Amino acid sequence: MKLVVNKAQRYAKMRAHTGVHLMYGAMEKVLNRTDIKQAGSYVDEDYWRLDFSADKPLTFEQMQEIEDLVNKWIYEAIDVNIFETSLDEAIKEWAKAFFDEKYGEKVRVIKIPWADIQLCGGTHAPNTSFLWAFKIISQEAVASWIRRLIIVTWPKVAQFAQEKENFINQIAEKLDSAPAQILPKVEKLEKELDKYKSELSNLKTAMIWAQLSKLEKQEWQFNYIVSLEDFEWVDFKTLVQKVRENLEWNIIVYSKAWNFAIISDWDFSAKEFAKEKWLRWGGSDSMVQWRDPKILEII
């Protein structure tokens, strides 16, 4: 039996593992914190995720600064020092240990000058230049006070960049625009959309008023009974608002889906009427609303 190590896979995991250490050192410096606790990590081929303690998400600017610092260390081609020493000597060197492991008299230390020093038994690149490039591709919350970052190194940085470029080109094609003009084009479209929304709102208001003006005043304690089904182009909340703005008081607005609002004048309590009719309700003397099938019986 012959044991063969897959060199490409091995080197990819070495790059990723060293990237974890560089990333941790950069986070401490950028965030100006020495109390960041690593809550777990997963290292694969040129890919890893890092879980760490945090009370809020990293900002875009912080992630960019971390990326820039790690890439600076990569381009500086810093040797990764790997050595064994006593636990006491490692502690004197300020080496970090994260997982409450029980260490023996001798420990393995990974020291990257100016960046990081940790107790670690994993495989590592001999020099930071082996990583070529570093990119944070996502951030998410995984538990209370725990954030997760997903990171890649070369060649997956190139793969990620290519995917982003393809995506940007697809958007540019949809917008009939050059990639560099996507943002101005989107801003222009946003302004046009706001204009159309305003025009649509005004049109809906005019249509509602036209429809409301056709309603006949009731010879009952309620002046008007308004059904949502006569106003199919608006939602119930908008209809109630427009009714309050345009009609006299003592009104019932309802829908066949049992939504209702009772709007009353100063001499009539909508709340007392709802109680009297055993309706489920919420609100005040001037208006109550809820959802109750009994409203259809009252109408």
Side-chain angles (χ1 to χ4, degrees):
M1 181 182 292
K2 184 178 180 181
L3 180 64
V4 178
V5 175
N6 184 317
K7 289 186 178 180
Q9 184 184 73
R10 179 74 168 181
Y11 290 150
K13 291 189 176 183
M14 288 167 64
R15 289 191 292 266
H17 201 169
T18 301
V20 174
H21 287 229
L22 290 173
M23 165 113 180
Y24 197 89
M27 286 174 63
E28 284 192 330
K29 289 175 172 58
V30 170
L31 302 179
N32 194 27
R33 287 179 54 191
T34 58
D35 61 338
I36 302 172
K37 293 183 179 179
Q38 185 175 327
S41 66
Y42 172 77
V43 178
D44 205 345
E45 299 174 43
D46 289 304
Y47 165 98
W48 75 93
R49 66 172 183 251
L50 176 67
D51 298 345
F52 63 97
S53 61
D55 58 351
K56 58 185 177 182
L58 298 180
T59 66
F60 173 82
E61 291 76 15
Q62 287 172 332
M63 288 195 291
Q64 187 64 59
E65 197 173 344
I66 290 168
E67 280 187 10
D68 290 345
L69 183 54
V70 172
N71 281 312
K72 175 178 177 290
W73 289 333
I74 290 172
Y75 303 150
E76 287 175 346
I78 304 169
D79 285 332
V80 177
N81 301 322
I82 303 173
F83 59 93
E84 289 187 350
T85 186
S86 68
L87 181 58
D88 288 341
E89 285 299 318
I91 292 173
K92 288 179 182 178
E93 289 272 351
W94 298 96
K96 294 184 287 292
F98 292 109
F99 300 109
D100 299 325
E101 298 175 21
K102 293 182 178 179
Y103 297 99
E105 291 184 4
K106 278 197 172 184
V107 292
R108 186 168 180 265
V109 179
I110 310 298
K111 183 177 182 179
I112 308 173
W114 307 291
D116 186 65
I117 179 169
Q118 293 185 33
L119 305 186
C120 180
T123 182
H124 281 272
N127 187 283
T128 59
S129 64
F130 276 57
L131 277 68
W132 285 69
F134 167 98
K135 179 67 180 173
I136 301 171
I137 62 174
S138 73
Q139 174 184 201
E140 60 189 41
V142 293
S144 179
W145 299 88
I146 300 295
R147 307 293 300 179
R148 170 173 292 170
L149 294 176
I150 306 294
I151 307 100
V152 292
T153 53
W154 188 266
K156 289 190 176 177
V157 171
Q159 179 185 337
F160 177 77
Q162 186 62 59
E163 290 172 355
K164 288 294 182 183
E165 183 178 356
N166 292 341
F167 182 63
I168 290 170
N169 287 334
Q170 290 173 12
I171 294 174
E173 186 177 352
K174 289 285 186 182
L175 294 173
D176 192 24
S177 170
Q181 295 301 313
I182 287 177
L183 185 56
K185 187 66 176 285
V186 169
E187 290 173 343
K188 179 182 176 183
L189 290 173
E190 283 180 333
K191 290 180 180 178
E192 291 178 359
L193 181 59
D194 289 340
K195 176 186 174 184
Y196 294 142
K197 283 181 176 179
S198 177
E199 291 176 355
L200 180 59
S201 177
N202 292 336
L203 179 60
K204 283 184 176 181
T205 298
M207 292 173 67
I208 291 171
W209 171 239
Q211 192 76 3
L212 290 176
S213 64
K214 296 177 183 179
L215 295 176
E216 294 184 3
K217 199 169 183 180
Q218 303 287 316
E219 297 296 332
W220 189 39
Q221 64 189 125
F222 290 97
N223 295 336
Y224 296 99
I225 308 296
V226 183
S227 171
L228 178 66
E229 280 62 40
D230 294 329
F231 301 83
E232 296 179 354
W233 61 90
V234 297
D235 60 85
F236 189 78
K237 181 179 179 181
T238 301
L239 180 58
V240 171
Q241 177 186 344
K242 297 303 179 184
V243 164
R244 294 190 70 180
E245 292 172 357
N246 294 284
L247 291 181
E248 298 177 12
W249 297 96
N250 294 357
I251 309 160
I252 294 180
V253 185
Y254 75 99
S255 76
K256 290 181 180 178
W258 310 338
N259 295 300
F260 73 89
I262 301 172
I263 307 162
S264 62
D265 201 350
W266 61 271
D267 61 347
F268 177 80
S269 171
K271 180 171 67 174
E272 293 304 321
F273 178 83
K275 287 181 179 179
E276 178 186 331
K277 299 299 181 181
W278 294 92
L279 289 168
R280 285 176 289 183
W281 63 276
S284 62
D285 283 322
S286 62
M287 188 178 87
V288 297
Q289 54 187 333
W290 208 262
R291 188 169 181 270
D292 193 319
K294 289 195 291 293
I295 192 64
L296 299 182
E297 299 173 12
I298 295 171
I299 299 304

